[in-house]
Amino acid sequence: TCSEIILRQEVLKDGFHRDLLIKVKFGESIEDLQTCRLLIKQYIPAGLFVDPYELASLRERNITEAVMVSENFNIEAPNYLSKETEVLIYARQDSQCIDCFQAFLPVHYRYHRPHSKDGETFVIVNNPDLLMYCDQGEGYKSFLRVEE
């Protein structure tokens, strides 16, 4: 078990094309994170989308390890005709922090219905599920699943 996990999500850039940066810091209870892999299951709300072709290109260039879980969705559909989607992302260990992992995911805003107020629309990105696999040597492996 982990005594403390700090999850931080940042949205970078402005406009319709943004980047979601996910950072995870583990407490001192996991001794050797060098043997661990962290898989992030990120839920993308209907107001956003992830382009699977862009993900494939980023994987080929070794920029991110992410794959769409959801199938049969239209990246051009407006938010009111869309559903939540899921993306699996392998986080990489942060070279600046020994107990940290981070992942990068490009996200794009969908078109929303026009409204007469101030013109702002808010999209809430919920916390992801975290799944960790650690190889402890001598055939022993441990798993950690953290959900909100």
Side-chain angles (χ1 to χ4, degrees):
T1 62
C2 293
S3 59
E4 182 178 72
I5 297 173
I6 299 170
L7 170 71
R8 197 166 137 205
Q9 296 183 88
E10 295 178 47
V11 178
L12 309 175
K13 300 193 297 189
D14 293 322
F16 277 83
H17 309 285
R18 302 193 179 200
D19 294 326
L20 178 62
L21 182 61
I22 305 164
K23 296 182 177 186
V24 181
K25 180 173 177 29
F26 289 92
E28 300 171 3
S29 59
I30 298 179
E31 292 180 16
D32 188 11
L33 284 174
Q34 301 297 320
T35 67
C36 298
R37 294 274 294 175
L38 178 64
L39 181 66
I40 298 172
K41 185 177 183 182
Q42 182 67 56
Y43 301 93
I44 307 298
L48 299 174
F49 73 91
V50 174
D51 184 343
Y53 302 107
E54 183 178 18
L55 284 186
S57 174
L58 292 173
R59 276 194 313 271
E60 286 176 6
R61 294 182 294 166
N62 201 26
I63 295 172
T64 192
E65 288 183 73
V67 66
M68 297 292 301
V69 175
S70 304
E71 295 180 2
N72 301 324
F73 69 95
N74 183 350
I75 64 174
E76 296 180 7
N79 79 312
Y80 51 90
L81 296 176
S82 302
K83 296 179 183 175
E84 176 180 84
T85 56
E86 298 174 13
V87 179
L88 296 175
I89 315 157
Y90 271 110
R92 297 185 176 172
Q93 288 193 299
D94 188 342
S95 60
Q96 308 286 315
C97 171
I98 195 165
D99 299 328
C100 303
F101 288 82
Q102 66 180 11
F104 158 83
L105 184 68
V107 294
H108 309 277
Y109 274 101
R110 291 187 182 274
Y111 290 108
H112 292 74
R113 289 187 193 272
H115 50 81
S116 60
K117 294 260 179 174
D118 58 11
E120 291 186 9
T121 300
F122 294 97
V123 176
I124 297 172
V125 178
N126 291 319
N127 287 339
D129 293 339
L130 304 176
L131 302 135
M132 179 173 270
Y133 164 84
C134 296
D135 186 351
Q136 310 277 294
E138 300 179 25
Y140 177 76
K141 298 180 185 351
S142 62
F143 298 90
L144 167 72
R145 180 182 181 125
V146 180
E147 295 179 352
E148 185 179 12

